[in-house]
Amino acid sequence: LHLRRMEASCLELALEGERLCKAGDCRAGVSFFEAAVQVGTEDLKTLSAIYSQLGNAYFYLHEYAKALEYHHHDLTLARTIGDLLGEAKASGNLGNTLKVLGNFEEAIVCCQRHLDISRELNDKVGEARALYNLGNVYHSKGKNVASARTHDPGELPDDVKNALQKAADYYEENLTIVTELGDRAAQGRAFGNLGNTHYLLGNFRSAVLAHEQRLLIAKEFGDRSAERRAYSNLGNAYIFLGEFETASEYYKRTLQLARQLKDRAVEAQACYSLGNTYTLLQDYEKAIDYHLKHLVIAQELHDKIGEGRACWSLGNAYTALGNHDQAMHFAERHLEISREVGDRSGELTARLNLSDLQMVLGLSYSTNTSMMSESHVVENSLNGTRPRVGRRHSMENMELMKLTPEKVQNWN
Amino acid sequence: SQPMAGRQAAELQSKVVPSKQILHSDNMEMEPETMETKSVTDYFSKLHMGSLVYSCTSKRKNK
């Protein structure tokens, strides 16, 4: 009788945990599942389901060490009771978790196991999902290796290229199956990540084609977050195709949706992208407008790194317009923030910008014998050959730069 | 001498700061992961069905 009551209580707690997680409250769900584990059950299949859901809840809560622990328990249990489908699922979840933790080799083994079992059981849905997961692991692996090293844009090291190519192959294989199955949502996901893989490989036309498909499916479902993602990714691809006008149109749609979805961080990102795009279009007034919008949100969100980036961009844009006072103001702010966040390379850039500007201003104050000489000096020191090559050249080549702030920090 | 200093500064800059130093934020938007799900509900309903079948058959046997 005591055992019966215990089983009932464990089930009740687990059912409440399930209900809460489905309702989106993973935090509360976790406490019910953990209470269920505390009570315990003789039924190993129920326990396996509890471990699996605990793992997923912790995954969604970004507590990956805990997620790893529970998916590992689930895998062990599934193997013990000889539940092959359960083992496949646990392997897939463990693989996804290991991927997020950066353990790509083990992640590949787990996702491959998910794939093998699904094929053995002739489970097409499971097979497709395992292929998608494998694509994601190889994509992350490629991106991770690429960002750990500095290399010239356009020339990817062989191992990075291989990993990304494998990712693309897995996404294609997944697409074949989910197209057969008529699973449009899964197609949408595969197109999105395939597009991003082509983007990293430098196949920007293929990236555009994939993201256009993603956009189409997002609209079919009325999935505005996915639609926004597609616009943003299309904007990025068009930048690298050198089609800045088209890129600006897609970034504007991203901005519009970000505002509708009330996502301030994404709104800031869209403004920043628009600022950069208008810089490439050499429309500095619009660039300033968007960079200022980005600055305001970065300050609101207490995003110091974003704020520093905004100041740096604003300094450059004002310099390009010849507004040296404003340029000076933002270069000073950039220096302050770089110091605050310990960005040594940013600090160095800001110092050089400041000394440049100080010189320009200093010269224009000391040699104001005539308008001619003043403008002559400014012309010399700012728009003359060398500084132009130094600063403006880098801005004009922005489309060639696939640099993340992490990479910039690696130059220290 | 001051344009000279300008040239020196420019040279210094080209030496110290890589021309790549443009803060292009490479903000790629990935699709979400899919996790495999298990549920105690599925299992529970099977269990419940099982006991229902059991009670029906045992009732029939009693008759």
Side-chain angles (χ1 to χ4, degrees):
Chain A
L1 189 76
H2 173 70
L3 196 70
R4 267 280 171 96
R5 197 176 302 144
M6 183 183 94
E7 296 284 339
S9 149
C10 174
L11 257 179
E12 277 164 35
L13 289 165
L15 286 171
E16 182 58 12
E18 267 186 34
R19 194 190 63 76
L20 286 162
C21 284
K22 269 189 196 136
D25 190 353
C26 283
R27 182 57 67 195
V30 158
S31 45
F32 276 90
F33 281 129
E34 278 181 340
V37 171
Q38 281 295 309
V39 173
T41 173
E42 297 276 294
D43 187 81
L44 297 182
K45 225 168 166 179
T46 297
L47 191 59
S48 157
I50 294 173
Y51 283 151
S52 176
Q53 292 182 86
L54 262 171
N56 284 348
Y58 276 122
F59 187 92
Y60 294 127
L61 290 168
H62 303 280
E63 292 180 38
Y64 300 112
K66 283 268 187 190
L68 191 75
E69 189 186 324
Y70 283 110
H71 284 311
H72 201 262
H73 285 327
D74 182 29
L75 181 64
T76 309
L77 210 53
R79 279 190 184 151
T80 308
I81 57 178
D83 172 10
L84 209 53
L85 179 62
E87 184 183 340
K89 288 182 171 186
S91 300
N93 291 337
L94 198 55
N96 282 346
T97 311
L98 287 162
K99 177 201 71 179
V100 177
L101 289 166
N103 189 342
F104 302 115
E105 298 317 310
E106 277 189 62
I108 289 166
V109 173
C110 288
C111 292
Q112 186 64 48
R113 181 81 187 129
H114 183 196
L115 181 63
D116 292 342
I117 299 174
S118 299
R119 283 181 174 159
E120 199 179 315
L121 297 174
N122 204 18
D123 170 8
K124 281 281 170 194
V125 175
E127 185 182 348
R129 291 167 73 93
L131 288 166
Y132 176 72
N133 290 345
L134 270 166
N136 285 345
V137 176
Y138 278 106
H139 178 102
S140 293
K141 187 186 167 187
K143 201 158 47 179
N144 196 272
V145 176
S147 68
R149 270 181 253 152
T150 51
H151 54 85
D152 284 328
E155 15 176 293
L156 291 175
D158 276 346
D159 49 349
V160 174
K161 210 188 280 178
N162 289 342
L164 292 173
Q165 191 52 55
K166 269 195 172 159
D169 294 343
Y170 280 118
Y171 290 135
E172 292 281 7
E173 229 182 312
N174 162 279
L175 270 169
T176 308
I177 299 178
V178 294
T179 306
E180 269 169 33
L181 294 170
D183 185 345
R184 289 293 277 168
Q187 283 178 54
R189 285 192 294 271
F191 275 126
N193 286 352
L194 178 64
N196 285 336
T197 308
H198 280 311
Y199 173 83
L200 288 179
L201 280 165
N203 308 329
F204 301 114
R205 289 277 164 219
S206 308
V208 165
L209 288 176
H211 288 307
E212 279 173 351
Q213 288 300 310
R214 207 291 158 256
L215 179 60
L216 204 71
I217 297 169
K219 283 181 176 168
E220 254 173 54
F221 280 86
D223 180 346
R224 291 199 297 169
S225 296
E227 190 182 341
R228 189 197 55 67
R229 284 200 296 273
Y231 288 140
S232 168
N233 290 329
L234 279 164
N236 292 343
Y238 276 110
I239 287 283
F240 282 89
L241 285 169
E243 298 179 34
F244 307 134
E245 288 283 358
T246 314
S248 76
E249 290 309 312
Y250 281 119
Y251 285 139
K252 275 182 205 160
R253 299 221 180 161
T254 312
L255 179 58
Q256 215 175 7
L257 274 174
R259 283 180 178 155
Q260 280 175 24
L261 296 166
K262 301 202 189 314
D263 187 335
R264 291 292 270 172
V266 171
E267 188 181 338
Q269 178 61 45
C271 289
Y272 183 63
S273 298
L274 276 163
N276 287 337
T277 309
Y278 279 111
T279 302
L280 292 167
L281 286 165
Q282 297 183 310
D283 185 341
Y284 300 109
E285 321 247 323
K286 275 193 185 146
I288 287 168
D289 189 35
Y290 282 113
H291 280 310
L292 282 173
K293 286 187 172 106
H294 171 228
L295 178 64
V296 169
I297 304 175
Q299 283 168 341
E300 182 191 303
L301 299 177
H302 306 289
D303 170 13
K304 278 281 166 195
I305 292 170
E307 198 182 331
R309 236 189 263 177
C311 291
W312 184 79
S313 306
L314 283 162
N316 284 335
Y318 278 118
T319 302
L321 283 179
N323 186 339
H324 303 302
D325 289 332
Q326 284 291 1
M328 193 78 167
H329 166 76
F330 285 109
E332 276 166 359
R333 238 351 247 144
H334 182 212
L335 180 60
E336 268 172 48
I337 294 167
S338 299
R339 275 192 196 139
E340 237 180 286
V341 299
D343 172 6
R344 287 185 50 218
S345 110
E347 198 180 322
L348 183 63
T349 315
R351 275 182 198 286
L352 287 164
N353 281 342
L354 273 172
S355 69
D356 256 17
L357 285 162
Q358 265 158 355
M359 199 167 55
V360 170
L361 291 174
L363 286 175
S364 57
Y365 292 141
S366 63
T367 57
N368 60 353
T369 41
S370 74
M371 282 302 286
M372 270 292 282
S373 70
E374 185 180 327
S375 61
H376 173 74
V377 171
V378 170
E379 177 69 27
N380 240 348
S381 56
L382 205 83
N383 295 326
T385 347
R386 290 306 294 248
R388 197 185 165 86
V389 168
R391 190 175 300 119
R392 291 290 307 286
H393 182 71
S394 66
M395 284 176 105
E396 279 151 12
N397 283 299
M398 191 155 74
E399 74 271 26
L400 298 175
M401 304 303 154
K402 278 204 268 185
L403 298 174
T404 60
E406 288 83 4
K407 277 180 223 162
V408 172
Q409 278 159 18
N410 284 339
W411 281 324
N412 282 339
Chain B
S1 69
Q2 273 169 328
M4 193 64 182
R7 216 164 298 142
Q8 276 167 359
E11 272 160 22
L12 183 73
Q13 181 180 351
S14 65
K15 274 177 201 153
V16 180
V17 184
S19 63
K20 303 171 180 177
Q21 195 142 27
I22 186 89
L23 296 170
H24 177 76
S25 147
D26 193 4
N27 201 50
M28 209 162 36
E29 301 255 13
M30 293 297 285
E31 299 292 328
E33 278 110 353
T34 51
M35 300 302 278
E36 302 303 313
T37 52
K38 296 182 180 181
S39 155
V40 295
T41 323
D42 299 342
Y43 186 58
F44 180 59
S45 52
K46 272 180 216 148
L47 203 75
H48 190 64
M49 283 283 278
S51 62
L52 211 71
V53 173
Y54 174 76
S55 66
C56 286
T57 46
S58 57
K59 263 179 207 164
R60 215 174 294 150
K61 269 181 194 167
N62 285 344
K63 272 186 183 174

